[in-house]
Amino acid sequence: MILMKDIIREGHPTLRAKSKEVQFPLSEEDRKLSEDLLEYVINSQNDEMIEKYDLRPGVGIAAPQVNVPKRIFALHFDENSGENLSLIAINPKIVSHSVEKAYLSAGEGCLSVDRPIPGYVPRYARVTVKAFDIEGKEYKMRLKGLPAIAFQHELDHLNGIMFFDHINPKNPFAEIDNAIAIDRASGE
Ligand code: SB7
Ligand code: NI
């Protein structure tokens, strides 16, 4: 299982690399990695598992964060987040997006960043996405709210982009044009 010691941190070159597309059928290794990523995000939202394994909560995790530069990530939102979504996304893409933007009013955090970085991270408010599941079946869905933001955060990881790259360096809390604020702790 994935533990915090397996997660690479800011400064590691893999976090700045463009991850590679995954081939189907999935190798045993890629299948295991996909399942481990999903297991991490599920465990990281369970108080007993957090305590037992010293996990840091996260709604998502991407393969490059465990130093594997492949286009795979997992997201998990349990019922008490008001969402109910659990997915593995392989070779994901955004096929269309709203003009309207959205940002978390508390900003974003990242399992690969050990310091708080204040500021608004502009994202698309709504995205229509496509990805493949572990069986190689393509799916398409429309996301809004925190899941839309998290999907974009994870997709960025596959392209070597960190959340703070999007923060206005002069004024981290500058108003974002045509954006809605989402009041939710931080994605953790
Ligand atoms: C805030 C945090 C996340 C997504 C969107 C907003 C995920 C945090 C965990 N990760 O570092 C995943 O890459
Ligand atoms: Ni992250």
Side-chain angles (χ1 to χ4, degrees):
M1 83 188 267
I2 295 169
L3 298 172
M4 287 310 295
K5 67 167 174 51
D6 304 309
I7 297 176
I8 60 170
R9 309 300 159 91
E10 244 186 307
H12 193 296
T14 300
L15 290 172
R16 289 307 193 176
K18 184 167 161 67
S19 290
K20 297 257 184 281
E21 293 255 329
V22 176
Q23 305 301 319
F24 290 99
L26 235 48
S27 65
E28 205 39 62
E29 195 189 354
D30 290 345
R31 176 181 290 263
K32 172 82 165 53
L33 170 65
S34 303
E35 286 168 349
D36 285 352
L37 292 172
L38 184 59
E39 179 192 57
Y40 180 88
V41 282
I42 293 173
N43 287 345
S44 85
Q45 295 176 49
N46 175 305
D47 290 336
E48 275 169 43
M49 297 302 271
I50 292 171
E51 165 105 34
K52 187 163 176 198
Y53 296 106
D54 205 18
L55 306 178
R56 208 180 123 188
V59 292
I61 188 171
Q65 294 184 275
V66 291
N67 202 16
V68 182
K70 291 183 177 174
R71 304 188 76 78
I72 308 175
F73 65 70
L75 290 178
H76 179 73
F77 298 89
D78 62 15
E79 314 76 60
N80 43 20
S81 73
E83 312 283 346
N84 200 345
L85 180 69
S86 206
L87 63 85
I88 289 169
I90 302 175
N91 300 340
K93 53 188 186 208
I94 292 175
V95 296
S96 66
H97 62 77
S98 59
V99 171
E100 189 172 51
K101 301 215 165 132
Y103 61 90
L104 297 183
S105 36
E108 296 188 16
C110 181
L111 294 168
S112 298
V113 178
D114 289 329
R115 56 194 175 114
I117 302 182
Y120 297 149
V121 180
R123 304 287 189 186
Y124 299 122
R126 295 170 297 282
V127 288
T128 299
V129 304
K130 269 186 180 174
F132 293 84
D133 67 15
I134 54 173
E135 306 307 336
K137 191 173 155 27
E138 193 174 29
Y139 61 88
K140 185 176 177 179
M141 60 172 87
R142 191 164 171 272
L143 301 172
K144 58 181 168 63
L146 185 61
I149 288 180
F151 195 99
Q152 293 169 76
H153 177 118
E154 303 314 328
L155 186 58
D156 270 353
H157 276 306
L158 308 187
N159 294 322
I161 299 167
M162 301 293 287
F163 74 92
F164 51 78
D165 299 344
H166 299 292
I167 298 175
N168 181 330
K170 287 210 190 81
N171 179 3
F173 293 105
E175 192 195 323
I176 297 163
D177 260 12
N178 198 11
I180 46 175
I182 299 176
D183 291 310
R184 203 265 185 185
S186 67
E188 299 194 359

